[in-house]
Amino acid sequence: MNAFDRSIKIAPSILSADFANFGAECRAIEAQGADWVHVDVMDGHFVPNITFGPSTCAAIRKHIRGVMDVHLMIAPVDPYIEAFVKSGADFVTVHAEAGAHLDRSLQLVRSFGAKAGVSLNPSTPASAIEFVLDRIDLVLVMTVNPGFGGQSFIASQVDKVRQLRAMIGARPIHIEIDGGITPETAPLVAAAGADVLVAGSAVFKGGSVETPEVYGRNIAAIRAAAEAARMSVAA
Ligand code: DX5
Ligand code: ZN
């Protein structure tokens, strides 16, 4: 993995890919410019949808050359952390709302050798991470209520991103955004301080492994919009 940097990174969510063809889908999005591959794990309990578990993550890992970014929407989470780290995840992100002992969950992720992320639901304040800043490599701001792709961006979260950016200061902690990211919404969060943008439907729409150039155009459009917003803030 590369050294820490705050450049804009696009992380397609394979929740919007063909579930019967994850290998080819991962290869296609990486060839078309994806920086990270975002993998959504759902349990039908913490969120009202079910995807897959660690053995599927391990199978997917073989088709990803770069960063595998695993977002755990499961509760309880602690009993499964070791298995997800061992599946080959570079980042394992747990929800602040998934249990009573966030500090312990984050320590567990790092103890097995992955980078640790914490995700905040839209109703959870930025202050939830104030006392775990030294335990995290990433904070994931949900801009939809987790569970499904294709939902609308919740604009109130932009202020939370700004607060988190100020709280993080010079610490090497990524700010990742997940939910409703498009070329229209990406500039809002990029200007507020986000560096990793997850996008499911906006990357996969209109394309397939037979027409991967569509993925490439979709990724490039989100990246260009986010980078332009960064430049205008810096100017
Ligand atoms: C939502 C997932 C997201 C989802 C985003 O619960 O965590 O990663 O795939 O999908 P879009 O980009 O379609 O909102
Ligand atoms: Zn996600």
Side-chain angles (χ1 to χ4, degrees):
M1 206 181 307
N2 295 333
F4 184 85
D5 79 79
R6 261 187 216 298
S7 62
I8 296 291
K9 292 165 281 292
I10 308 298
S13 163
I14 58 167
L15 188 62
S16 294
D18 175 0
F19 271 41
N21 214 0
F22 276 145
E25 293 275 36
C26 288
R27 293 194 301 272
I29 53 176
E30 283 197 322
Q32 294 295 326
D35 299 286
W36 294 8
V37 177
H38 185 80
V39 179
D40 285 309
V41 175
M42 303 184 183
D43 66 351
H45 170 73
F46 181 71
V47 290
N49 193 7
I50 300 176
T51 56
F52 45 75
S55 53
T56 304
C57 289
I60 292 170
R61 169 79 267 184
K62 299 191 182 78
H63 301 273
I64 298 173
R65 297 162 70 113
V67 171
M68 180 159 115
D69 173 35
V70 174
H71 177 192
L72 297 181
M73 289 162 274
I74 65 174
V77 65
D78 289 5
Y80 304 102
I81 285 175
E82 180 174 11
F84 282 104
V85 174
K86 290 194 170 157
S87 79
D90 296 286
F91 286 84
V92 171
T93 295
V94 302
H95 266 264
E97 309 84 4
H101 305 291
L102 176 62
D103 184 274
R104 177 185 290 140
S105 304
L106 294 167
Q107 287 194 57
L108 269 176
V109 173
R110 282 188 170 171
S111 75
F112 294 118
K115 294 201 185 279
V118 56
S119 182
L120 306 178
N121 281 335
S123 62
T124 302
S127 59
I129 67 160
E130 192 174 351
F131 294 99
V132 292
L133 284 170
D134 293 334
R135 302 241 191 258
I136 60 174
D137 303 287
L138 176 151
V139 55
L140 172 53
V141 178
M142 291 307 305
T143 41
V144 298
N145 287 292
F148 302 96
Q151 303 181 79
S152 299
F153 180 84
I154 301 175
S156 62
Q157 301 305 301
V158 175
D159 266 342
K160 191 193 290 183
V161 176
R162 227 172 263 123
Q163 288 174 24
L164 288 166
R165 184 67 197 86
M167 199 186 284
I168 285 167
R171 292 179 179 86
I173 299 174
H174 296 288
I175 300 182
E176 180 174 40
I177 312 296
D178 190 357
I181 291 296
T182 65
E184 288 69 46
T185 57
L188 306 173
V189 291
D195 64 300
V196 187
L197 306 182
V198 175
S201 31
V203 166
F204 287 92
K205 69 158 194 239
S208 71
V209 292
E210 279 83 42
T211 55
E213 63 283 357
V214 176
Y215 298 161
R217 283 200 292 274
N218 291 342
I219 291 169
I222 298 166
R223 189 192 306 282
E227 286 179 347
R230 273 277 187 87
M231 302 264 278
S232 63
V233 171

